[in-house]
């Protein structure tokens, strides 16, 4: 079993940056496919980033490519999402997710991963 806790959301002006953290307990994230997705009320969740189990591949949604960076620190058992050049369209609740034993490690699947955090809200004002 894994427990994920998301931190780092907040309010920021357009053009600003935030770094989200996903602190994991229970099992190591070292060999896990890890991702972040976001959701606004009334809309489907959108996978924004994911990183493969061996860190060899990072995939991003087109809407965040070049602005967001996903990473992990296995020693701290923590995953991160660095978000730069934020726009009001990035406002959402962001949730970290980790794939369980099966399923694809694709950005379209992130919101369906077995283990998920509680989410952290990001508000970007113009």
């Amino acid at each position: 079993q894994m427990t994920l806790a998301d931190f780092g959301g907040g309010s920021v002006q357009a053009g600003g940056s935030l770094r989200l953290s996903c602190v994991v307990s229970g099992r190591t994230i070292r060999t896990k496919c890890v991702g972040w997705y976001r959701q606004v009320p009334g809309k489907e969740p959108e996978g924004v980033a994911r990183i493969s189990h061996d860190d060899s591949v990072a995939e991003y949604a087109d809407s965040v490519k070049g602005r967001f960076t996903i990473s992990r620190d296995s020693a701290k058992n923590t995953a991160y999402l660095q978000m730069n050049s934020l726009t009001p369209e990035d406002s959402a609740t962001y949730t970290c997710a980790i794939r369980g034993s099966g399923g694809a490690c694709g950005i379209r699947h992130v919101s369906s991963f077995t283990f998920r955090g509680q989410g952290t809200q990001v508000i970007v004002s113009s």
Side-chain angles (χ1 to χ4, degrees):
Q1 193 61 275
M2 303 180 84
T3 302
L4 283 61
D6 301 326
F7 299 97
S11 296
V12 64
Q13 288 195 325
S17 298
L18 285 172
R19 187 174 81 155
L20 307 183
S21 300
C22 172
V23 180
V24 181
S25 58
R27 290 167 63 183
T28 181
I29 64 170
R30 191 177 301 276
T31 59
K32 296 294 186 182
C33 171
V34 179
W36 290 86
Y37 69 93
R38 65 186 181 187
Q39 189 167 19
V40 298
K43 291 191 175 182
E44 292 294 313
E46 175 191 21
V48 295
R50 67 94 179 172
I51 190 164
S52 62
H53 69 286
D54 59 359
D55 293 345
S56 63
V57 177
E59 182 183 6
Y60 298 93
D62 287 342
S63 57
V64 308
K65 205 169 291 183
R67 300 187 297 122
F68 289 14
T69 303
I70 186 172
S71 63
R72 84 175 90 206
D73 183 336
S74 295
K76 296 182 178 179
N77 226 33
T78 300
Y80 302 98
L81 185 67
Q82 177 67 43
M83 307 187 297
N84 299 328
S85 302
L86 287 162
T87 73
E89 289 69 37
D90 295 316
S91 297
T93 296
Y94 286 74
T95 303
C96 174
I98 296 178
R99 188 184 64 168
S101 58
C105 181
I107 198 165
R108 296 183 294 110
H109 306 283
V110 172
S111 61
S112 301
F113 284 176
T114 304
F115 304 104
R116 281 166 271 176
Q118 83 284 5
T120 184
Q121 189 172 25
V122 172
I123 299 172
V124 185
S125 58
S126 58

